[in-house]
PDB file of all heavy atoms in Angstrom:
ATOM      1  N   ARG A 336     147.906  38.378  83.993  1.00  0.00           N
ATOM      2  CA  ARG A 336     147.155  37.469  84.857  1.00  0.00           C
ATOM      3  C   ARG A 336     147.160  36.040  84.322  1.00  0.00           C
ATOM      4  O   ARG A 336     147.264  35.075  85.083  1.00  0.00           O
ATOM      5  CB  ARG A 336     145.706  37.952  84.992  1.00  0.00           C
ATOM      6  CG  ARG A 336     145.601  39.255  85.717  1.00  0.00           C
ATOM      7  CD  ARG A 336     146.202  39.167  87.095  1.00  0.00           C
ATOM      8  NE  ARG A 336     145.969  40.370  87.862  1.00  0.00           N
ATOM      9  CZ  ARG A 336     146.170  40.470  89.159  1.00  0.00           C
ATOM     10  NH1 ARG A 336     146.672  39.458  89.837  1.00  0.00           N
ATOM     11  NH2 ARG A 336     145.921  41.597  89.784  1.00  0.00           N
ATOM     12  N   LEU A 337     147.031  35.908  83.002  1.00  0.00           N
ATOM     13  CA  LEU A 337     146.962  34.557  82.421  1.00  0.00           C
ATOM     14  C   LEU A 337     148.281  33.806  82.662  1.00  0.00           C
ATOM     15  O   LEU A 337     148.262  32.611  82.976  1.00  0.00           O
ATOM     16  CB  LEU A 337     146.608  34.633  80.929  1.00  0.00           C
ATOM     17  CG  LEU A 337     145.172  35.123  80.648  1.00  0.00           C
ATOM     18  CD1 LEU A 337     145.013  35.515  79.174  1.00  0.00           C
ATOM     19  CD2 LEU A 337     144.134  34.068  81.021  1.00  0.00           C
ATOM     20  N   VAL A 338     149.410  34.519  82.555  1.00  0.00           N
ATOM     21  CA  VAL A 338     150.680  33.807  82.801  1.00  0.00           C
ATOM     22  C   VAL A 338     150.842  33.454  84.287  1.00  0.00           C
ATOM     23  O   VAL A 338     151.561  32.525  84.633  1.00  0.00           O
ATOM     24  CB  VAL A 338     151.944  34.556  82.277  1.00  0.00           C
ATOM     25  CG1 VAL A 338     151.940  34.659  80.778  1.00  0.00           C
ATOM     26  CG2 VAL A 338     152.114  35.916  82.911  1.00  0.00           C
ATOM     27  N   GLN A 339     150.110  34.184  85.147  1.00  0.00           N
ATOM     28  CA  GLN A 339     150.142  33.837  86.586  1.00  0.00           C
ATOM     29  C   GLN A 339     149.235  32.643  86.901  1.00  0.00           C
ATOM     30  O   GLN A 339     149.161  32.216  88.044  1.00  0.00           O
ATOM     31  CB  GLN A 339     149.668  35.036  87.420  1.00  0.00           C
ATOM     32  CG  GLN A 339     150.653  36.199  87.465  1.00  0.00           C
ATOM     33  CD  GLN A 339     150.003  37.471  88.032  1.00  0.00           C
ATOM     34  OE1 GLN A 339     148.830  37.487  88.390  1.00  0.00           O
ATOM     35  NE2 GLN A 339     150.783  38.536  88.091  1.00  0.00           N
ATOM     36  N   GLY A 340     148.466  32.180  85.898  1.00  0.00           N
ATOM     37  CA  GLY A 340     147.624  31.000  86.143  1.00  0.00           C
ATOM     38  C   GLY A 340     146.134  31.308  86.237  1.00  0.00           C
ATOM     39  O   GLY A 340     145.329  30.396  86.442  1.00  0.00           O
ATOM     40  N   TRP A 341     145.767  32.603  86.097  1.00  0.00           N
ATOM     41  CA  TRP A 341     144.335  32.911  86.068  1.00  0.00           C
ATOM     42  C   TRP A 341     143.752  32.395  84.755  1.00  0.00           C
ATOM     43  O   TRP A 341     144.446  32.324  83.738  1.00  0.00           O
ATOM     44  CB  TRP A 341     144.118  34.422  86.179  1.00  0.00           C
ATOM     45  CG  TRP A 341     144.471  34.978  87.520  1.00  0.00           C
ATOM     46  CD1 TRP A 341     145.735  35.185  87.994  1.00  0.00           C
ATOM     47  CD2 TRP A 341     143.571  35.369  88.557  1.00  0.00           C
ATOM     48  NE1 TRP A 341     145.669  35.684  89.274  1.00  0.00           N
ATOM     49  CE2 TRP A 341     144.355  35.814  89.645  1.00  0.00           C
ATOM     50  CE3 TRP A 341     142.181  35.399  88.683  1.00  0.00           C
ATOM     51  CZ2 TRP A 341     143.799  36.278  90.837  1.00  0.00           C
ATOM     52  CZ3 TRP A 341     141.622  35.867  89.861  1.00  0.00           C
ATOM     53  CH2 TRP A 341     142.423  36.293  90.927  1.00  0.00           C
ATOM     54  N   ARG A 342     142.468  32.032  84.777  1.00  0.00           N
ATOM     55  CA  ARG A 342     141.781  31.510  83.581  1.00  0.00           C
ATOM     56  C   ARG A 342     140.504  32.299  83.344  1.00  0.00           C
ATOM     57  O   ARG A 342     139.719  32.509  84.286  1.00  0.00           O
ATOM     58  CB  ARG A 342     141.410  30.030  83.785  1.00  0.00           C
ATOM     59  CG  ARG A 342     142.605  29.126  84.030  1.00  0.00           C
ATOM     60  CD  ARG A 342     143.439  28.971  82.764  1.00  0.00           C
ATOM     61  NE  ARG A 342     144.652  28.228  82.974  1.00  0.00           N
ATOM     62  CZ  ARG A 342     145.886  28.746  82.912  1.00  0.00           C
ATOM     63  NH1 ARG A 342     146.072  30.026  82.641  1.00  0.00           N
ATOM     64  NH2 ARG A 342     146.957  27.984  83.089  1.00  0.00           N
ATOM     65  N   GLY A 343     140.279  32.706  82.088  1.00  0.00           N
ATOM     66  CA  GLY A 343     139.043  33.423  81.751  1.00  0.00           C
ATOM     67  C   GLY A 343     137.933  32.409  81.538  1.00  0.00           C
ATOM     68  O   GLY A 343     138.073  31.503  80.710  1.00  0.00           O
ATOM     69  N   TYR A 344     136.829  32.549  82.295  1.00  0.00           N
ATOM     70  CA  TYR A 344     135.799  31.505  82.206  1.00  0.00           C
ATOM     71  C   TYR A 344     134.416  32.024  81.814  1.00  0.00           C
ATOM     72  O   TYR A 344     133.518  31.228  81.551  1.00  0.00           O
ATOM     73  CB  TYR A 344     135.714  30.725  83.528  1.00  0.00           C
ATOM     74  CG  TYR A 344     135.183  31.545  84.688  1.00  0.00           C
ATOM     75  CD1 TYR A 344     133.833  31.544  85.008  1.00  0.00           C
ATOM     76  CD2 TYR A 344     136.040  32.348  85.425  1.00  0.00           C
ATOM     77  CE1 TYR A 344     133.348  32.301  86.060  1.00  0.00           C
ATOM     78  CE2 TYR A 344     135.569  33.113  86.481  1.00  0.00           C
ATOM     79  CZ  TYR A 344     134.219  33.086  86.786  1.00  0.00           C
ATOM     80  OH  TYR A 344     133.741  33.854  87.819  1.00  0.00           O
ATOM     81  N   ALA A 345     134.215  33.354  81.810  1.00  0.00           N
ATOM     82  CA  ALA A 345     132.891  33.882  81.442  1.00  0.00           C
ATOM     83  C   ALA A 345     133.023  35.360  81.094  1.00  0.00           C
ATOM     84  O   ALA A 345     134.029  36.003  81.434  1.00  0.00           O
ATOM     85  CB  ALA A 345     131.907  33.711  82.609  1.00  0.00           C
ATOM     86  N   LEU A 346     131.995  35.883  80.431  1.00  0.00           N
ATOM     87  CA  LEU A 346     131.908  37.331  80.201  1.00  0.00           C
ATOM     88  C   LEU A 346     130.926  37.912  81.204  1.00  0.00           C
ATOM     89  O   LEU A 346     130.024  37.202  81.672  1.00  0.00           O
ATOM     90  CB  LEU A 346     131.404  37.622  78.781  1.00  0.00           C
ATOM     91  CG  LEU A 346     132.288  37.143  77.633  1.00  0.00           C
ATOM     92  CD1 LEU A 346     131.658  37.538  76.294  1.00  0.00           C
ATOM     93  CD2 LEU A 346     133.689  37.732  77.738  1.00  0.00           C
ATOM     94  N   ASP A 347     131.073  39.198  81.516  1.00  0.00           N
ATOM     95  CA  ASP A 347     130.064  39.828  82.369  1.00  0.00           C
ATOM     96  C   ASP A 347     128.795  40.070  81.534  1.00  0.00           C
ATOM     97  O   ASP A 347     128.770  39.799  80.333  1.00  0.00           O
ATOM     98  CB  ASP A 347     130.600  41.117  83.000  1.00  0.00           C
ATOM     99  CG  ASP A 347     130.858  42.216  81.966  1.00  0.00           C
ATOM    100  OD1 ASP A 347     130.735  41.932  80.744  1.00  0.00           O
ATOM    101  OD2 ASP A 347     131.182  43.331  82.363  1.00  0.00           O
ATOM    102  N   GLU A 348     127.758  40.605  82.177  1.00  0.00           N
ATOM    103  CA  GLU A 348     126.461  40.727  81.481  1.00  0.00           C
ATOM    104  C   GLU A 348     126.534  41.611  80.246  1.00  0.00           C
ATOM    105  O   GLU A 348     125.877  41.353  79.250  1.00  0.00           O
ATOM    106  CB  GLU A 348     125.405  41.260  82.450  1.00  0.00           C
ATOM    107  CG  GLU A 348     124.833  40.139  83.281  1.00  0.00           C
ATOM    108  CD  GLU A 348     123.637  40.559  84.092  1.00  0.00           C
ATOM    109  OE1 GLU A 348     123.054  41.609  83.806  1.00  0.00           O
ATOM    110  OE2 GLU A 348     123.320  39.810  85.029  1.00  0.00           O
ATOM    111  N   ALA A 349     127.326  42.666  80.329  1.00  0.00           N
ATOM    112  CA  ALA A 349     127.430  43.571  79.177  1.00  0.00           C
ATOM    113  C   ALA A 349     128.409  43.046  78.126  1.00  0.00           C
ATOM    114  O   ALA A 349     128.579  43.678  77.073  1.00  0.00           O
ATOM    115  CB  ALA A 349     127.877  44.942  79.667  1.00  0.00           C
ATOM    116  N   ALA A 350     129.030  41.914  78.388  1.00  0.00           N
ATOM    117  CA  ALA A 350     130.031  41.315  77.491  1.00  0.00           C
ATOM    118  C   ALA A 350     131.190  42.265  77.219  1.00  0.00           C
ATOM    119  O   ALA A 350     131.763  42.280  76.136  1.00  0.00           O
ATOM    120  CB  ALA A 350     129.389  40.822  76.187  1.00  0.00           C
ATOM    121  N   ASP A 351     131.538  43.088  78.234  1.00  0.00           N
ATOM    122  CA  ASP A 351     132.664  44.004  78.104  1.00  0.00           C
ATOM    123  C   ASP A 351     133.887  43.532  78.883  1.00  0.00           C
ATOM    124  O   ASP A 351     134.999  43.964  78.612  1.00  0.00           O
ATOM    125  CB  ASP A 351     132.276  45.388  78.657  1.00  0.00           C
ATOM    126  CG  ASP A 351     131.427  46.146  77.669  1.00  0.00           C
ATOM    127  OD1 ASP A 351     131.586  45.903  76.456  1.00  0.00           O
ATOM    128  OD2 ASP A 351     130.589  46.957  78.106  1.00  0.00           O
TER     129      ASP A 351
END
Side-chain angles (χ1 to χ4, degrees):
R336 294 302 187 167
L337 292 165
V338 295
Q339 289 167 0
W341 291 75
R342 300 290 174 248
Y344 68 93
L346 297 181
D347 67 353
E348 277 189 16
D351 282 331

